[in-house]
Amino acid sequence: MSWHMPAEGAPHERTWMAFPREGVTLGATDVEREAGYAAWAAVAHATADFEPVTMLVDPSELARARRMLSSEIEIIEAEVDEFWMRDHGPTCVTDGGTLGAVDWIFNGWGAPDWAQWQKSAAHARRIAEHVGAEVVPSLLVNEGGGIHVDGEGTVLLTDTVQLDPRRNPFADRERVEAEMARTLGATKAVWLPRGLTRDYDDLGTNGHVDIVATIPSPGRLLLHHQADPAHPDHAVTRELRAILSQETDAAGRTFEVVDLPAPATLTDAHGPVDWSYVNHLVVNGGVIACGFGEPEADARAAAILAEEYPGRRVVTVDAREIFARGGGIHCITQHQPAVTPTAQPIGGAR
């Protein structure tokens, strides 16, 4: 097989999610847990307005999920521990009319003491079996939030993720790039030296690209922009912009880098926030955007996303409770591309 990962803007068959369950990530109090459940449900319902959504639900949460989710959301019972579907679920690829499901090794973002991942690590194969996809096994420890592609051979990676010694102690860029070529059809890897500051905390991913940069269309790159010098990501994003503006994609084009400004909030009770509008989900005919309770900043981001994904309707969902748990809307969703050899993007083409 010659596998190829389509751009996220290509037509989808559905979006996959995992319903939260009690544990360290969800929260310690009833109020915190209820806020987490509600945030996941809100993203599922917003997405279901555009395309089918299937939710894996732990047996312990079935009653709650059925109560909180509309009948539009398909529920599949499966054991769940972590519920960040982008990271532990399959990365879907195609080969003509065949759907493939890349089954990365998932070790809870580097096997930190607090993480529980063994049950959710089985979801890639469970989903592949459910949809009749061919499993594409990989010995690389990787997560779906650690990669972004343009559908034309370019993949974005981060030194501190794929080369993390807690993930892949014996990897180097050459080995990682070879695996990206084998599993995703990527012919050009663009490496970021690091991610956002908060992402290096205990509950972070150590630099996932999907909170920093994405490729809305070939040759263009949306980059998180922190304009306030008081935030440590001001220096980080300035450095990344300088690097990425000199990079080329698989077709040899120099990226046109578009800044996606951060909201005004700089800190929370735990330090500098990593609130980022880059962590959006592209769906059939729409974009599910992160909102942060700042009308002006949220509207500005929605306008930029509407410009970058023409023909799509941008819907903003409050993502603060998701970010409080270590990620955003893109992190809790995983798209399944439609398998049609002649499929063309629905909106988003430039």
Side-chain angles (χ1 to χ4, degrees):
M1 290 285 187
S2 179
W3 297 111
H4 164 73
M5 184 176 178
E8 291 189 18
H12 297 177
E13 182 69 27
R14 70 181 58 250
T15 287
W16 290 86
M17 297 180 67
F19 197 72
R21 60 157 296 168
E22 291 194 17
V24 174
T25 306
L26 185 58
T29 68
D30 287 343
V31 171
E32 290 175 342
R33 287 190 287 269
E34 287 300 325
Y37 292 125
W40 261 250
V43 171
H45 289 137
T47 304
D49 285 342
F50 295 91
E51 61 187 73
V53 175
T54 300
M55 185 81 71
L56 299 189
V57 181
D58 190 79
S60 66
E61 297 288 359
L62 276 173
R64 188 191 310 273
R66 287 173 176 147
R67 184 174 70 250
M68 297 187 69
L69 299 175
S70 75
S71 60
E72 291 182 299
I73 312 297
E74 179 187 19
I75 290 176
I76 296 177
E77 183 177 347
E79 288 191 311
V80 174
D81 38 31
E82 284 299 341
F83 32 89
W84 304 86
M85 182 59 78
R86 179 69 54 176
D87 290 350
H88 69 260
T91 294
C92 293
V93 292
T94 64
D95 179 22
T98 302
L99 179 68
V102 181
D103 183 18
W104 312 109
I105 293 176
F106 178 67
N107 72 348
W109 310 279
D113 292 340
W114 56 265
Q116 296 178 327
W117 68 86
Q118 290 82 359
K119 294 176 181 177
S120 292
H123 287 176
R125 288 178 179 268
R126 174 70 183 274
I127 290 171
E129 180 181 2
H130 183 79
V131 300
E134 180 175 336
V135 174
V136 183
S138 177
L139 294 178
L140 187 72
V141 178
N142 188 43
E143 304 91 33
I147 57 175
H148 257 313
V149 302
D150 66 355
E152 296 187 359
T154 310
V155 62
L156 304 180
L157 305 169
T158 312
D159 284 328
T160 56
V161 174
Q162 285 79 24
L163 303 184
D164 181 357
R166 303 171 305 164
R167 288 174 165 102
N168 299 298
F170 304 110
D172 55 25
R173 284 189 174 187
E174 184 177 7
R175 290 189 175 112
V176 171
E177 289 176 12
E179 186 66 349
M180 294 296 155
R182 184 185 73 86
T183 57
L184 309 182
T187 57
K188 172 64 184 291
V190 176
W191 290 87
L192 282 66
R194 58 159 297 148
L196 300 183
T197 301
R198 182 70 166 264
D199 208 13
Y200 294 88
D201 286 358
D202 288 344
L203 295 181
T205 70
N206 222 46
H208 269 190
V209 72
D210 73 347
I211 202 170
V212 183
T214 187
I215 306 172
S217 57
R220 293 178 69 82
L221 194 148
L222 277 173
L223 180 66
H224 179 69
H225 174 61
Q226 177 52 256
D228 194 325
H231 195 296
D233 285 337
H234 174 73
V236 172
T237 56
R238 183 174 56 186
E239 175 190 4
L240 292 176
R241 197 182 207 288
I243 292 170
L244 292 171
S245 63
Q246 300 300 312
E247 279 282 1
T248 57
D249 64 11
R253 293 170 291 224
T254 301
F255 281 113
E256 184 174 353
V257 180
V258 178
D259 289 332
L260 193 50
T265 300
L266 299 181
T267 62
D268 62 11
H270 304 285
V273 298
D274 56 356
W275 293 359
S276 170
Y277 297 107
V278 169
N279 200 264
H280 54 272
L281 173 67
V282 184
V283 292
N284 292 336
V287 177
I288 312 301
C290 294
F292 300 103
E294 298 185 17
E296 183 177 343
D298 290 353
R300 176 181 60 197
I304 294 172
L305 292 174
E307 174 69 20
E308 292 301 316
Y309 299 101
R312 298 181 193 262
R313 178 164 59 94
V314 179
V315 174
T316 299
V317 177
D318 195 321
R320 286 173 290 182
E321 291 295 340
I322 307 174
F323 273 80
R325 288 157 178 79
I329 289 173
H330 191 260
C331 305
I332 68 172
T333 56
Q334 179 61 280
H335 65 286
Q336 177 188 333
V339 182
T340 51
T342 59
Q344 296 296 322
I346 302 175
R350 283 193 167 269

PDB file of all heavy atoms in Angstrom, residues 68-82:
ATOM      1  N   MET A  68     -26.546  13.355  28.344  1.00  0.00           N
ATOM      2  CA  MET A  68     -25.982  14.631  27.929  1.00  0.00           C
ATOM      3  C   MET A  68     -25.846  14.790  26.420  1.00  0.00           C
ATOM      4  O   MET A  68     -25.758  15.919  25.926  1.00  0.00           O
ATOM      5  CB  MET A  68     -24.605  14.846  28.584  1.00  0.00           C
ATOM      6  CG  MET A  68     -24.637  14.939  30.088  1.00  0.00           C
ATOM      7  SD  MET A  68     -23.023  15.397  30.790  1.00  0.00           S
ATOM      8  CE  MET A  68     -22.891  17.109  30.228  1.00  0.00           C
ATOM      9  N   LEU A  69     -25.812  13.677  25.693  1.00  0.00           N
ATOM     10  CA  LEU A  69     -25.598  13.744  24.254  1.00  0.00           C
ATOM     11  C   LEU A  69     -26.918  13.546  23.514  1.00  0.00           C
ATOM     12  O   LEU A  69     -27.732  12.707  23.893  1.00  0.00           O
ATOM     13  CB  LEU A  69     -24.601  12.670  23.809  1.00  0.00           C
ATOM     14  CG  LEU A  69     -23.191  12.759  24.405  1.00  0.00           C
ATOM     15  CD1 LEU A  69     -22.366  11.558  23.977  1.00  0.00           C
ATOM     16  CD2 LEU A  69     -22.509  14.057  24.023  1.00  0.00           C
ATOM     17  N   SER A  70     -27.095  14.295  22.443  1.00  0.00           N
ATOM     18  CA  SER A  70     -28.311  14.162  21.649  1.00  0.00           C
ATOM     19  C   SER A  70     -28.300  12.839  20.894  1.00  0.00           C
ATOM     20  O   SER A  70     -27.263  12.169  20.768  1.00  0.00           O
ATOM     21  CB  SER A  70     -28.426  15.322  20.663  1.00  0.00           C
ATOM     22  OG  SER A  70     -27.525  15.145  19.584  1.00  0.00           O
ATOM     23  N   SER A  71     -29.455  12.477  20.370  1.00  0.00           N
ATOM     24  CA  SER A  71     -29.579  11.227  19.629  1.00  0.00           C
ATOM     25  C   SER A  71     -28.775  11.237  18.333  1.00  0.00           C
ATOM     26  O   SER A  71     -28.564  10.195  17.714  1.00  0.00           O
ATOM     27  CB  SER A  71     -31.055  10.946  19.321  1.00  0.00           C
ATOM     28  OG  SER A  71     -31.605  12.005  18.544  1.00  0.00           O
ATOM     29  N   GLU A  72     -28.324  12.426  17.904  1.00  0.00           N
ATOM     30  CA  GLU A  72     -27.495  12.518  16.702  1.00  0.00           C
ATOM     31  C   GLU A  72     -26.117  11.903  16.908  1.00  0.00           C
ATOM     32  O   GLU A  72     -25.459  11.521  15.937  1.00  0.00           O
ATOM     33  CB  GLU A  72     -27.316  13.988  16.294  1.00  0.00           C
ATOM     34  CG  GLU A  72     -28.563  14.673  15.786  1.00  0.00           C
ATOM     35  CD  GLU A  72     -28.246  16.086  15.368  1.00  0.00           C
ATOM     36  OE1 GLU A  72     -27.804  16.870  16.238  1.00  0.00           O
ATOM     37  OE2 GLU A  72     -28.417  16.405  14.196  1.00  0.00           O
ATOM     38  N   ILE A  73     -25.644  11.856  18.156  1.00  0.00           N
ATOM     39  CA  ILE A  73     -24.307  11.360  18.453  1.00  0.00           C
ATOM     40  C   ILE A  73     -24.361   9.848  18.608  1.00  0.00           C
ATOM     41  O   ILE A  73     -25.057   9.325  19.479  1.00  0.00           O
ATOM     42  CB  ILE A  73     -23.752  11.985  19.744  1.00  0.00           C
ATOM     43  CG1 ILE A  73     -23.933  13.510  19.757  1.00  0.00           C
ATOM     44  CG2 ILE A  73     -22.290  11.597  19.925  1.00  0.00           C
ATOM     45  CD1 ILE A  73     -23.208  14.237  18.686  1.00  0.00           C
ATOM     46  N   GLU A  74     -23.635   9.129  17.762  1.00  0.00           N
ATOM     47  CA  GLU A  74     -23.553   7.681  17.889  1.00  0.00           C
ATOM     48  C   GLU A  74     -22.661   7.337  19.079  1.00  0.00           C
ATOM     49  O   GLU A  74     -21.570   7.897  19.233  1.00  0.00           O
ATOM     50  CB  GLU A  74     -22.976   7.064  16.618  1.00  0.00           C
ATOM     51  CG  GLU A  74     -22.851   5.543  16.688  1.00  0.00           C
ATOM     52  CD  GLU A  74     -22.121   4.953  15.497  1.00  0.00           C
ATOM     53  OE1 GLU A  74     -21.404   5.697  14.798  1.00  0.00           O
ATOM     54  OE2 GLU A  74     -22.252   3.735  15.274  1.00  0.00           O
ATOM     55  N   ILE A  75     -23.110   6.426  19.921  1.00  0.00           N
ATOM     56  CA  ILE A  75     -22.357   6.003  21.097  1.00  0.00           C
ATOM     57  C   ILE A  75     -21.907   4.563  20.911  1.00  0.00           C
ATOM     58  O   ILE A  75     -22.703   3.686  20.556  1.00  0.00           O
ATOM     59  CB  ILE A  75     -23.209   6.133  22.373  1.00  0.00           C
ATOM     60  CG1 ILE A  75     -23.429   7.614  22.707  1.00  0.00           C
ATOM     61  CG2 ILE A  75     -22.544   5.417  23.551  1.00  0.00           C
ATOM     62  CD1 ILE A  75     -24.337   7.839  23.905  1.00  0.00           C
ATOM     63  N   ILE A  76     -20.616   4.323  21.146  1.00  0.00           N
ATOM     64  CA  ILE A  76     -20.051   2.979  21.130  1.00  0.00           C
ATOM     65  C   ILE A  76     -19.428   2.720  22.491  1.00  0.00           C
ATOM     66  O   ILE A  76     -18.591   3.513  22.960  1.00  0.00           O
ATOM     67  CB  ILE A  76     -18.988   2.814  20.024  1.00  0.00           C
ATOM     68  CG1 ILE A  76     -19.629   2.980  18.638  1.00  0.00           C
ATOM     69  CG2 ILE A  76     -18.294   1.461  20.132  1.00  0.00           C
ATOM     70  CD1 ILE A  76     -18.632   2.908  17.498  1.00  0.00           C
ATOM     71  N   GLU A  77     -19.816   1.652  23.116  1.00  0.00           N
ATOM     72  CA  GLU A  77     -19.258   1.316  24.423  1.00  0.00           C
ATOM     73  C   GLU A  77     -17.849   0.765  24.261  1.00  0.00           C
ATOM     74  O   GLU A  77     -17.598  -0.137  23.458  1.00  0.00           O
ATOM     75  CB  GLU A  77     -20.145   0.293  25.130  1.00  0.00           C
ATOM     76  CG  GLU A  77     -19.666  -0.052  26.531  1.00  0.00           C
ATOM     77  CD  GLU A  77     -20.609  -1.009  27.249  1.00  0.00           C
ATOM     78  OE1 GLU A  77     -21.738  -1.200  26.745  1.00  0.00           O
ATOM     79  OE2 GLU A  77     -20.214  -1.551  28.296  1.00  0.00           O
ATOM     80  N   ALA A  78     -16.906   1.336  24.996  1.00  0.00           N
ATOM     81  CA  ALA A  78     -15.510   0.895  24.965  1.00  0.00           C
ATOM     82  C   ALA A  78     -14.836   1.370  26.238  1.00  0.00           C
ATOM     83  O   ALA A  78     -15.174   2.439  26.765  1.00  0.00           O
ATOM     84  CB  ALA A  78     -14.778   1.454  23.746  1.00  0.00           C
ATOM     85  N   GLU A  79     -13.887   0.615  26.733  1.00  0.00           N
ATOM     86  CA  GLU A  79     -13.158   1.051  27.919  1.00  0.00           C
ATOM     87  C   GLU A  79     -12.317   2.283  27.586  1.00  0.00           C
ATOM     88  O   GLU A  79     -11.626   2.319  26.559  1.00  0.00           O
ATOM     89  CB  GLU A  79     -12.264  -0.072  28.436  1.00  0.00           C
ATOM     90  CG  GLU A  79     -13.027  -1.211  29.088  1.00  0.00           C
ATOM     91  CD  GLU A  79     -12.109  -2.158  29.818  1.00  0.00           C
ATOM     92  OE1 GLU A  79     -11.085  -2.581  29.220  1.00  0.00           O
ATOM     93  OE2 GLU A  79     -12.392  -2.476  30.987  1.00  0.00           O
ATOM     94  N   VAL A  80     -12.404   3.286  28.453  1.00  0.00           N
ATOM     95  CA  VAL A  80     -11.715   4.559  28.248  1.00  0.00           C
ATOM     96  C   VAL A  80     -10.955   4.917  29.514  1.00  0.00           C
ATOM     97  O   VAL A  80     -11.484   4.758  30.626  1.00  0.00           O
ATOM     98  CB  VAL A  80     -12.732   5.689  27.927  1.00  0.00           C
ATOM     99  CG1 VAL A  80     -12.028   7.042  27.858  1.00  0.00           C
ATOM    100  CG2 VAL A  80     -13.480   5.403  26.632  1.00  0.00           C
ATOM    101  N   ASP A  81      -9.714   5.376  29.370  1.00  0.00           N
ATOM    102  CA  ASP A  81      -9.048   6.056  30.478  1.00  0.00           C
ATOM    103  C   ASP A  81      -8.752   7.490  30.059  1.00  0.00           C
ATOM    104  O   ASP A  81      -9.400   8.409  30.514  1.00  0.00           O
ATOM    105  CB  ASP A  81      -7.819   5.301  31.017  1.00  0.00           C
ATOM    106  CG  ASP A  81      -6.980   4.606  29.958  1.00  0.00           C
ATOM    107  OD1 ASP A  81      -6.921   5.097  28.807  1.00  0.00           O
ATOM    108  OD2 ASP A  81      -6.366   3.579  30.272  1.00  0.00           O
ATOM    109  N   GLU A  82      -7.818   7.713  29.119  1.00  0.00           N
ATOM    110  CA  GLU A  82      -7.642   9.064  28.583  1.00  0.00           C
ATOM    111  C   GLU A  82      -8.676   9.319  27.484  1.00  0.00           C
ATOM    112  O   GLU A  82      -9.093   8.391  26.788  1.00  0.00           O
ATOM    113  CB  GLU A  82      -6.225   9.260  28.050  1.00  0.00           C
ATOM    114  CG  GLU A  82      -5.177   9.456  29.140  1.00  0.00           C
ATOM    115  CD  GLU A  82      -5.429  10.671  30.008  1.00  0.00           C
ATOM    116  OE1 GLU A  82      -6.184  11.581  29.589  1.00  0.00           O
ATOM    117  OE2 GLU A  82      -4.881  10.712  31.123  1.00  0.00           O
TER     118      GLU A  82
END
